Amino acid sequence: MIDQHYVEAFRADDQQERAIVLHMVLSLVGGLLLGAVGAALSYGPDPLYAIYEPYAYLLFVVVVGRTAVGLGWAALTSALATLGTLISLLVASIFKAGNELTLGSGGATLNLTLLVIASLGLLSYFTRRDDLWGDFAGGAMAGMVAIHVMGKALPHWPTYVPGYGPWNVLVVTGLAVGLLLFLRRGIAPRLRALLVALIIACSYFVFVVGL
């Protein structure tokens, strides 16, 4: 007779494998859908599109990384989500002559955005921890988003996007802070995470101004 504990362990492993596969599929499909929505919004008001792209994709990667079963799976599913978004935008760009629908308006912006997305997927996994490392990961996430949005608003910077005004910066920064407060529990962890984000953002700003 087969041991009951062995059967239960086999079922648990099988369910976990199915959940991992489903998570991978949803990450890719979700990226495809978000990219398609972003392509559609590019025909609408510029302020709305400026907030949606790429920060809706960043939020999705945060969710994907946070819900992964392990660090390696967080990296893989984040890559799949990003890949799905890129596929949708590249396909949509075929039908929109003279305007590249990619994650950014130029090579520097695209490279920085991809770096931020890849980093957020891993950092969001560490926000599941209830220690200082979790606080640091949450603060680093918000700080990286602040760096990205400031780079799009600062003239003469490689990632500058014309017309990206202070209201865009305030809205995106507010959303990033709200997400940070949601991910951390307790006053002290939130304050530590906010301090990390502030240090990263201010350091970047001082560096840019110094140039």
Side-chain angles (χ1 to χ4, degrees):
M1 186 178 225
I2 300 178
D3 186 81
Q4 185 65 25
H5 294 290
Y6 174 79
V7 175
E8 292 178 357
F10 177 80
R11 288 178 177 174
D13 291 341
D14 182 65
Q15 290 177 354
Q16 185 180 46
E17 290 179 359
R18 290 176 181 271
I20 290 174
V21 172
L22 179 61
H23 192 257
M24 293 171 59
V25 172
L26 291 177
S27 300
L28 179 61
V29 173
L32 290 169
L33 292 177
L34 285 177
V37 172
L41 289 178
S42 67
Y43 294 93
D46 290 337
L48 177 61
Y49 179 65
I51 294 175
Y52 182 89
E53 192 275 338
Y55 303 106
Y57 316 140
L58 299 184
L59 177 60
F60 182 63
V61 169
V62 169
V63 174
V64 166
R66 173 91 177 187
T67 55
V69 297
L71 181 60
W73 293 115
L76 177 59
T77 51
S78 298
L80 288 174
T82 306
L83 177 63
T85 301
L86 284 173
I87 290 175
S88 289
L89 294 177
L90 289 174
V91 170
S93 67
I94 299 175
F95 303 99
K96 190 171 185 179
N99 188 9
E100 294 183 0
L101 291 171
T102 57
L103 294 173
S105 59
T109 307
L110 175 59
N111 293 335
L112 178 60
T113 302
L114 292 177
L115 176 62
V116 170
I117 290 177
S119 301
L120 290 187
L122 298 177
L123 289 172
S124 63
Y125 175 78
F126 286 108
T127 60
R128 297 163 59 172
R129 300 173 61 103
D130 295 325
D131 54 12
L132 292 175
W133 288 110
D135 300 336
F136 176 81
M141 284 174 48
M144 291 182 66
V145 173
I147 287 176
H148 187 272
V149 71
M150 279 193 297
K152 295 175 69 174
L154 294 173
H156 310 300
W157 194 242
T159 57
Y160 173 67
V161 176
Y164 204 85
W167 285 109
N168 300 103
V169 176
L170 290 176
V171 171
V172 174
T173 302
L175 292 175
V177 172
L179 177 63
L180 175 61
L181 296 177
F182 175 77
L183 292 177
R184 307 313 297 155
R185 293 291 183 266
I187 297 178
R190 288 172 175 172
L191 290 177
R192 287 193 294 264
L194 286 173
L195 179 60
V196 172
L198 185 62
I199 291 174
I200 293 175
C202 290
S203 300
Y204 174 82
F205 182 77
V206 172
F207 173 74
V208 172
V209 172
L211 293 179

